Amino acid sequence: MVQAEGFSDRFKEYIDRLANELHRADWCGRDEVLLGYCRGLLIPNGRKSMEPIAVRMDPGHAQASREAVQQFITDSKWSHEALLRGVREYALPILLRTGPMEAWIVDDTAFPKSGKHSVGVARQYCGLKGKQDNCQDAVSVSVANQETSLPCAFRLYLPESWAKDAVARKKVGVPEEIRFQTKWEMALGMIEGLRKEGMAPAPVLADAGYGNASEFCEGLTRLGMTYVAGIQSNTTVWAPGTRPLPPKPKPARGARSHRLQVDPDHPPKTVKEIALSRRPETWKEITWWEEGSKGPLTSRFTILRVRSAHRTQRQTRVPSLEWLLIEWPKGEAEPTHYWLSTLPATTPLQELIRMAKLRWRIERDYQVLKDQLGLDHFEGRTWRGFHHHFSLAIAAYAFLTAEEARLFPPTIWEALQRIQFALSRSHPWAASPRPRGSPCAELPGDPSNPHRPGSHRRDDPVPLLR
């Protein structure tokens, strides 16, 4: 097991860095509350909302501790962006020792809610339940390489109904400058901010919720970023050998039209139509992950060069060629996944598949953040409180992934065990019994825990080509 002394020194150094970042952003709070809250997120407790964390921070002075945590999370005006800047400065150099940055990953995650008064709660699509439900939703941007990943920016999605409700906004403290934005607009803004900060470019990976937003893909291209973006089966493209017609000639009267025309003899097709028309020999069976707990993962793929057509009505220039990647597993009645990519024309099929599948690494991030670090345990209602708790959970996760990177081979579940062991050794109250059935009631390594080392091979939820 990790030596408690060495761990404690690294943890204290990390918290000092974050505190200094907040103090530079005009925070005047107490460093020990920041330390205690991050420790509370890492230890193997049940609920990791403000109340239980406060009580465990100082059991002998529970009321004073509650007030300190309440002030720190919901009242204090420290900047969660400043905190995340400190997180990135500490963690990224350590994480990149395991390999160069390979991708930026855009995604959003939902938080089901029973009430309607918490900031941003609305009836909207909830990925956890696979249907419309009452929930909050947050958009994040992560960076990843073959071995690890880290959320670097996030923001709560504010539905249009909330954005227009001045009374509700005031109750939960939504800043005046926050206006309604679609999720792709939020993601593009965060990517632009990280690029201005100096973060190196890499291909952007996103699902169909972003890939079908043509403005998102165009924005990435303007920023000089390539992408591998999921699309829906009804997305239209110009098949190989076809393209839109030039704009109509200038009429005798009126302004010239600059919009491209659809060739009636060779109209664009949906990607599903193209997939179904592909010859059998064009499909290649590829093993895209060798080390899954259920054995190698294999599927059938095909690729071809196409031009995007789902925004033809406003196109004025012939779109560039892109990769269309299609997956059709054996036994399925029709293709299951489609992607458009602006990776270079020389990119091999296996590399395209690897990058497309790398997006699923974000699922591991959210799994650990929610199951082990209490990301979805926040019970407050305010904008500030939500972003403070979310950013502190990411801060705890960044330290966990940095500790993971110090191990060889890197295994996040082993790193989590070691951190929790060290915290329990140095703070006996952290090892108090936990209620059965709580989100963190079983540590990794317990045979009943599906996340123990061995039941999930390294990054099993995020298969990669080797």
Side-chain angles (χ1 to χ4, degrees):
M1 288 292 183
V2 70
Q3 293 297 319
E5 182 179 353
F7 162 83
S8 297
D9 290 343
R10 291 192 299 273
F11 189 51
K12 184 63 167 60
E13 176 196 355
Y14 176 58
I15 297 301
D16 287 345
R17 276 172 162 257
L18 299 186
N20 289 337
E21 199 68 42
L22 294 184
H23 288 311
R24 283 198 292 270
D26 299 325
W27 179 56
C28 301
R30 294 158 46 196
D31 294 2
E32 60 266 27
V33 182
L34 170 63
L35 174 66
Y37 201 88
C38 288
R39 182 190 295 137
L41 294 171
L42 283 165
I43 60 178
N45 288 324
R47 290 297 294 178
K48 297 188 178 182
S49 55
M50 290 186 289
E51 172 79 12
I53 287 178
V55 172
R56 288 180 171 90
M57 281 172 58
D58 191 352
H61 304 85
Q63 184 57 37
S65 184
R66 289 190 191 97
E67 292 174 359
V69 169
Q70 175 78 23
Q71 196 279 335
F72 176 61
I73 297 296
T74 63
D75 300 329
S76 182
K77 296 182 180 180
W78 56 269
S79 167
H80 72 274
E81 289 97 343
L83 182 81
L84 290 182
R85 186 165 52 247
V87 167
R88 293 191 295 270
E89 290 176 356
Y90 173 86
L92 283 180
I94 299 174
L95 302 187
L96 293 180
R97 295 175 192 170
T98 64
M101 185 191 303
E102 292 195 270
W104 297 34
I105 305 177
V106 172
D107 203 8
D108 50 84
T109 187
F111 305 87
K113 294 287 183 179
S114 56
K116 61 180 182 180
H117 300 293
S118 295
V119 59
V121 169
R123 190 164 184 81
Q124 54 193 320
Y125 180 77
C126 178
L128 289 175
K129 298 187 176 182
K131 62 179 182 178
Q132 294 281 321
D133 206 349
N134 213 46
C135 65
Q136 295 170 309
D137 211 347
V139 177
S140 67
V141 176
S142 301
V143 296
N145 60 20
Q146 277 211 37
E147 300 297 341
T148 191
S149 53
L150 177 69
C152 288
F154 80 96
R155 206 185 86 190
L156 177 69
Y157 170 69
L158 196 67
E160 196 167 5
S161 58
W162 271 87
K164 293 180 177 179
D165 190 334
V167 175
R169 289 171 60 107
K170 186 175 182 180
K171 283 183 179 179
V172 297
V174 177
E176 291 184 5
E177 66 271 16
I178 298 298
R179 295 291 180 263
F180 173 73
Q181 286 184 304
T182 61
K183 293 176 183 178
W184 71 260
E185 288 175 318
M186 295 167 58
L188 194 60
M190 286 186 275
I191 291 171
E192 187 171 6
L194 292 172
R195 287 288 292 121
K196 288 180 179 178
E197 191 177 290
M199 193 169 290
V204 175
L205 315 181
D207 65 18
Y210 300 87
N212 269 97
S214 55
E215 298 91 340
F216 176 72
C217 296
E218 291 170 350
L220 293 177
T221 300
R222 285 195 301 272
L223 292 174
M225 309 276 280
T226 57
Y227 58 81
V228 182
I231 53 174
Q232 295 173 337
S233 61
N234 61 355
T235 301
T236 56
V237 298
W238 300 95
T242 67
R243 58 193 297 165
L245 296 175
K248 294 179 180 179
K250 185 180 184 306
R253 293 184 177 182
R256 178 190 297 273
S257 172
H258 294 282
R259 292 181 179 177
L260 299 173
Q261 302 179 81
V262 173
D263 184 346
D265 296 326
H266 302 284
K269 298 180 179 181
T270 67
V271 292
K272 181 177 179 179
E273 289 174 330
I274 290 178
L276 295 177
S277 67
R278 296 286 281 170
R279 297 190 306 274
E281 63 268 21
T282 63
W283 294 90
K284 306 296 182 184
E285 190 166 299
I286 303 291
T287 297
W288 52 276
W289 176 238
E290 296 281 0
E291 303 174 12
S293 58
K294 298 180 181 179
L297 298 179
T298 300
S299 189
R300 295 190 308 154
F301 298 89
T302 189
I303 54 171
L304 61 160
R305 301 286 281 170
V306 300
R307 300 180 193 271
S308 174
H310 61 291
R311 50 185 181 270
T312 300
Q313 290 184 347
R314 60 184 183 80
Q315 284 179 331
T316 58
R317 292 185 298 178
V318 176
S320 301
L321 286 168
E322 301 181 52
W323 284 114
L324 171 60
L325 172 65
I326 308 170
E327 180 181 5
W328 191 346
K330 279 188 175 180
E332 296 289 341
E334 60 184 45
T336 55
H337 296 99
Y338 305 83
W339 297 268
L340 282 175
S341 173
T342 53
L343 290 179
T346 56
T347 306
L349 171 60
Q350 287 202 336
E351 178 63 11
L352 274 171
I353 298 170
R354 188 182 73 84
M355 293 302 291
K357 297 296 185 178
L358 181 59
R359 193 197 72 79
W360 293 100
R361 181 178 294 283
I362 191 67
E363 301 299 331
R364 186 200 72 163
D365 291 346
Y366 283 139
Q367 180 185 24
V368 178
L369 278 161
K370 290 182 177 183
D371 293 351
Q372 302 294 334
L373 304 180
L375 180 70
D376 55 351
H377 292 189
F378 180 65
E379 296 171 349
R381 295 179 175 179
T382 67
W383 175 275
R384 182 182 296 153
F386 178 92
H387 287 81
H388 282 177
H389 176 82
F390 204 112
S391 62
L392 288 164
I394 291 177
Y397 184 68
F399 184 76
L400 169 60
T401 52
E403 290 296 296
E404 173 195 19
R406 297 178 192 277
L407 303 176
F408 188 84
T411 307
I412 199 164
W413 307 112
E414 183 180 354
L416 182 61
Q417 269 193 301
R418 294 185 176 197
I419 286 175
Q420 293 177 342
F421 173 82
L423 285 170
S424 299
R425 287 285 300 274
S426 57
H427 300 278
W429 51 265
S432 58
R434 299 174 304 284
R436 302 289 297 183
S438 67
C440 300
E442 308 297 343
L443 287 175
D446 188 312
S448 66
N449 186 351
H451 305 319
R452 72 187 189 280
S455 67
H456 282 292
R457 298 289 295 273
R458 167 69 176 114
D459 288 344
D460 195 28
V462 199
L464 300 173
L465 285 172
R466 292 295 186 187

